[in-house]
Short mmCIF file of all heavy atoms in Angstrom, two decimals:
data_model
loop_
_atom_site.label_atom_id
_atom_site.label_comp_id
_atom_site.label_asym_id
_atom_site.label_seq_id
_atom_site.Cartn_x
_atom_site.Cartn_y
_atom_site.Cartn_z
N GLU A 1 197.88 -43.71 -47.32
CA GLU A 1 198.31 -42.38 -47.73
C GLU A 1 197.45 -41.77 -48.84
O GLU A 1 197.56 -40.59 -49.14
CB GLU A 1 199.78 -42.42 -48.21
CG GLU A 1 200.00 -43.09 -49.57
CD GLU A 1 200.03 -44.60 -49.51
OE1 GLU A 1 199.91 -45.13 -48.40
OE2 GLU A 1 200.18 -45.25 -50.56
N LEU A 2 196.56 -42.57 -49.46
CA LEU A 2 195.72 -42.04 -50.54
C LEU A 2 194.51 -41.33 -49.95
O LEU A 2 193.98 -41.71 -48.92
CB LEU A 2 195.27 -43.16 -51.47
CG LEU A 2 196.33 -43.78 -52.37
CD1 LEU A 2 195.70 -44.79 -53.31
CD2 LEU A 2 197.08 -42.73 -53.17
N SER A 3 194.08 -40.28 -50.64
CA SER A 3 192.92 -39.53 -50.17
C SER A 3 191.65 -40.36 -50.33
O SER A 3 191.54 -41.20 -51.24
CB SER A 3 192.78 -38.22 -50.95
OG SER A 3 192.45 -38.49 -52.30
N PHE A 4 190.69 -40.12 -49.44
CA PHE A 4 189.42 -40.83 -49.52
C PHE A 4 188.71 -40.54 -50.85
O PHE A 4 188.07 -41.43 -51.41
CB PHE A 4 188.52 -40.43 -48.35
CG PHE A 4 188.99 -40.95 -47.02
CD1 PHE A 4 189.37 -40.08 -46.01
CD2 PHE A 4 189.07 -42.31 -46.77
CE1 PHE A 4 189.81 -40.55 -44.78
CE2 PHE A 4 189.51 -42.80 -45.54
CZ PHE A 4 189.89 -41.91 -44.54
N SER A 5 188.83 -39.32 -51.34
CA SER A 5 188.16 -38.99 -52.60
C SER A 5 188.73 -39.80 -53.75
O SER A 5 187.99 -40.26 -54.62
CB SER A 5 188.30 -37.49 -52.90
OG SER A 5 189.67 -37.12 -53.01
N SER A 6 190.05 -40.03 -53.75
CA SER A 6 190.65 -40.83 -54.82
C SER A 6 190.27 -42.31 -54.69
O SER A 6 190.36 -43.06 -55.66
CB SER A 6 192.17 -40.68 -54.82
OG SER A 6 192.74 -41.24 -53.65
N LEU A 7 189.85 -42.73 -53.48
CA LEU A 7 189.42 -44.11 -53.28
C LEU A 7 187.96 -44.33 -53.67
O LEU A 7 187.49 -45.46 -53.69
CB LEU A 7 189.61 -44.51 -51.82
CG LEU A 7 191.06 -44.59 -51.32
CD1 LEU A 7 191.08 -44.82 -49.81
CD2 LEU A 7 191.82 -45.69 -52.03
N GLY A 8 187.26 -43.24 -53.98
CA GLY A 8 185.87 -43.36 -54.42
C GLY A 8 184.84 -42.85 -53.44
O GLY A 8 183.64 -43.06 -53.65
N PHE A 9 185.26 -42.19 -52.36
CA PHE A 9 184.30 -41.68 -51.40
C PHE A 9 183.54 -40.49 -51.97
O PHE A 9 184.11 -39.64 -52.66
CB PHE A 9 185.01 -41.25 -50.11
CG PHE A 9 185.16 -42.35 -49.11
CD1 PHE A 9 186.16 -43.30 -49.26
CD2 PHE A 9 184.31 -42.44 -48.02
CE1 PHE A 9 186.30 -44.32 -48.34
CE2 PHE A 9 184.44 -43.46 -47.09
CZ PHE A 9 185.43 -44.40 -47.25
N ASP A 10 182.25 -40.45 -51.67
CA ASP A 10 181.44 -39.28 -52.00
C ASP A 10 180.79 -38.80 -50.69
O ASP A 10 181.15 -39.23 -49.60
CB ASP A 10 180.39 -39.60 -53.07
CG ASP A 10 179.47 -40.75 -52.66
OD1 ASP A 10 179.41 -41.08 -51.46
OD2 ASP A 10 178.79 -41.31 -53.54
N SER A 11 179.82 -37.90 -50.82
CA SER A 11 179.23 -37.31 -49.61
C SER A 11 178.58 -38.37 -48.73
O SER A 11 178.74 -38.36 -47.50
CB SER A 11 178.19 -36.25 -50.02
OG SER A 11 178.81 -35.21 -50.73
N LEU A 12 177.83 -39.29 -49.34
CA LEU A 12 177.12 -40.27 -48.53
C LEU A 12 178.06 -41.24 -47.85
O LEU A 12 177.93 -41.54 -46.66
CB LEU A 12 176.12 -41.04 -49.40
CG LEU A 12 175.35 -42.09 -48.60
CD1 LEU A 12 174.30 -41.45 -47.72
CD2 LEU A 12 174.72 -43.13 -49.49
N THR A 13 179.04 -41.75 -48.60
CA THR A 13 179.97 -42.71 -48.00
C THR A 13 180.83 -42.03 -46.94
O THR A 13 181.25 -42.67 -45.97
CB THR A 13 180.85 -43.36 -49.08
OG1 THR A 13 181.35 -42.34 -49.96
CG2 THR A 13 180.07 -44.37 -49.89
N ALA A 14 181.08 -40.73 -47.10
CA ALA A 14 181.81 -40.00 -46.07
C ALA A 14 181.02 -39.96 -44.76
O ALA A 14 181.58 -40.16 -43.67
CB ALA A 14 182.12 -38.58 -46.55
N VAL A 15 179.72 -39.70 -44.87
CA VAL A 15 178.87 -39.69 -43.67
C VAL A 15 178.76 -41.09 -43.09
O VAL A 15 178.75 -41.27 -41.87
CB VAL A 15 177.48 -39.12 -44.01
CG1 VAL A 15 176.53 -39.27 -42.84
CG2 VAL A 15 177.60 -37.65 -44.40
N ASP A 16 178.69 -42.10 -43.96
CA ASP A 16 178.61 -43.48 -43.49
C ASP A 16 179.84 -43.84 -42.66
O ASP A 16 179.73 -44.42 -41.56
CB ASP A 16 178.48 -44.41 -44.70
CG ASP A 16 178.09 -45.83 -44.31
OD1 ASP A 16 178.14 -46.16 -43.11
OD2 ASP A 16 177.73 -46.62 -45.22
N LEU A 17 181.03 -43.48 -43.15
CA LEU A 17 182.25 -43.76 -42.40
C LEU A 17 182.26 -42.98 -41.09
O LEU A 17 182.67 -43.51 -40.04
CB LEU A 17 183.48 -43.41 -43.24
CG LEU A 17 184.84 -43.63 -42.57
CD1 LEU A 17 184.99 -45.06 -42.08
CD2 LEU A 17 185.97 -43.24 -43.51
N ARG A 18 181.82 -41.73 -41.13
CA ARG A 18 181.74 -40.94 -39.90
C ARG A 18 180.87 -41.64 -38.86
O ARG A 18 181.22 -41.73 -37.68
CB ARG A 18 181.19 -39.56 -40.23
CG ARG A 18 181.14 -38.52 -39.09
CD ARG A 18 180.00 -38.73 -38.10
NE ARG A 18 178.69 -38.81 -38.71
CZ ARG A 18 177.86 -37.79 -38.87
NH1 ARG A 18 178.22 -36.59 -38.47
NH2 ARG A 18 176.66 -37.98 -39.41
N ASP A 19 179.71 -42.14 -39.30
CA ASP A 19 178.79 -42.80 -38.38
C ASP A 19 179.43 -44.05 -37.76
O ASP A 19 179.28 -44.31 -36.56
CB ASP A 19 177.50 -43.18 -39.10
CG ASP A 19 176.68 -41.96 -39.50
OD1 ASP A 19 176.97 -40.86 -38.99
OD2 ASP A 19 175.74 -42.11 -40.31
N ARG A 20 180.15 -44.81 -38.58
CA ARG A 20 180.79 -46.02 -38.07
C ARG A 20 181.86 -45.68 -37.02
O ARG A 20 181.97 -46.35 -35.98
CB ARG A 20 181.42 -46.82 -39.22
CG ARG A 20 180.40 -47.45 -40.17
CD ARG A 20 181.09 -47.99 -41.41
NE ARG A 20 180.13 -48.54 -42.37
CZ ARG A 20 179.80 -49.81 -42.47
NH1 ARG A 20 180.35 -50.70 -41.65
NH2 ARG A 20 178.92 -50.22 -43.37
N LEU A 21 182.64 -44.66 -37.30
CA LEU A 21 183.71 -44.29 -36.37
C LEU A 21 183.14 -43.67 -35.10
O LEU A 21 183.68 -43.86 -34.01
CB LEU A 21 184.68 -43.33 -37.05
CG LEU A 21 185.48 -43.93 -38.21
CD1 LEU A 21 186.32 -42.85 -38.90
CD2 LEU A 21 186.37 -45.07 -37.73
N ALA A 22 182.05 -42.91 -35.25
CA ALA A 22 181.40 -42.34 -34.06
C ALA A 22 180.88 -43.44 -33.16
O ALA A 22 181.00 -43.38 -31.93
CB ALA A 22 180.27 -41.40 -34.49
N ALA A 23 180.30 -44.48 -33.76
CA ALA A 23 179.79 -45.59 -32.97
C ALA A 23 180.92 -46.38 -32.32
O ALA A 23 180.79 -46.86 -31.19
CB ALA A 23 178.95 -46.51 -33.86
N ALA A 24 182.05 -46.48 -33.00
CA ALA A 24 183.16 -47.27 -32.48
C ALA A 24 183.92 -46.56 -31.38
O ALA A 24 184.48 -47.20 -30.48
CB ALA A 24 184.12 -47.63 -33.61
N THR A 25 183.95 -45.22 -31.42
CA THR A 25 184.75 -44.46 -30.45
C THR A 25 183.91 -43.78 -29.39
O THR A 25 184.44 -43.36 -28.36
CB THR A 25 185.57 -43.38 -31.17
OG1 THR A 25 184.67 -42.48 -31.84
CG2 THR A 25 186.52 -44.00 -32.18
N GLY A 26 182.60 -43.62 -29.63
CA GLY A 26 181.76 -42.88 -28.71
C GLY A 26 181.92 -41.38 -28.81
O GLY A 26 181.42 -40.63 -27.97
N LEU A 27 182.61 -40.92 -29.87
CA LEU A 27 182.83 -39.49 -30.05
C LEU A 27 181.73 -38.88 -30.90
O LEU A 27 181.15 -39.55 -31.76
CB LEU A 27 184.18 -39.24 -30.74
CG LEU A 27 185.43 -39.66 -29.97
CD1 LEU A 27 186.66 -39.56 -30.86
CD2 LEU A 27 185.61 -38.78 -28.74
N SER A 28 181.46 -37.60 -30.68
CA SER A 28 180.56 -36.86 -31.56
C SER A 28 181.42 -36.25 -32.66
O SER A 28 182.24 -35.36 -32.41
CB SER A 28 179.85 -35.75 -30.77
OG SER A 28 179.00 -35.00 -31.62
N LEU A 29 181.26 -36.75 -33.87
CA LEU A 29 182.14 -36.37 -34.97
C LEU A 29 181.39 -35.56 -36.02
O LEU A 29 180.22 -35.81 -36.30
CB LEU A 29 182.73 -37.63 -35.62
CG LEU A 29 183.55 -38.53 -34.68
CD1 LEU A 29 183.92 -39.83 -35.38
CD2 LEU A 29 184.79 -37.81 -34.18
N SER A 30 182.09 -34.64 -36.63
CA SER A 30 181.50 -33.76 -37.63
C SER A 30 181.16 -34.52 -38.90
O SER A 30 181.84 -35.49 -39.27
CB SER A 30 182.48 -32.62 -37.96
OG SER A 30 182.09 -31.93 -39.12
N ALA A 31 180.11 -34.05 -39.59
CA ALA A 31 179.75 -34.66 -40.87
C ALA A 31 180.82 -34.43 -41.93
O ALA A 31 180.89 -35.15 -42.92
CB ALA A 31 178.41 -34.10 -41.36
N THR A 32 181.69 -33.43 -41.70
CA THR A 32 182.76 -33.13 -42.67
C THR A 32 184.07 -33.83 -42.29
O THR A 32 185.13 -33.51 -42.83
CB THR A 32 183.00 -31.61 -42.73
OG1 THR A 32 183.43 -31.15 -41.44
CG2 THR A 32 181.74 -30.87 -43.15
N LEU A 33 184.00 -34.80 -41.40
CA LEU A 33 185.19 -35.46 -40.87
C LEU A 33 186.12 -35.95 -41.97
O LEU A 33 187.33 -35.69 -41.95
CB LEU A 33 184.76 -36.64 -39.99
CG LEU A 33 185.88 -37.46 -39.35
CD1 LEU A 33 186.50 -36.71 -38.19
CD2 LEU A 33 185.34 -38.82 -38.88
#
């Protein structure tokens, strides 16, 4: 339930997580995901 920003995410780690989820699901996901 905690926001990613409060967990310490910044722009780069946000894109890193997007890339991991895109690879895991095969979806084309936005950089602002």
Side-chain angles (χ1 to χ4, degrees):
E1 73 280 358
L2 289 185
S3 67
F4 289 117
S5 60
S6 66
L7 294 173
F9 272 79
D10 57 17
S11 298
L12 180 75
T13 46
V15 172
D16 192 347
L17 178 56
R18 185 283 307 266
D19 292 346
R20 291 170 183 264
L21 294 175
T25 60
L27 296 171
S28 178
L29 301 173
S30 167
T32 62
L33 179 75

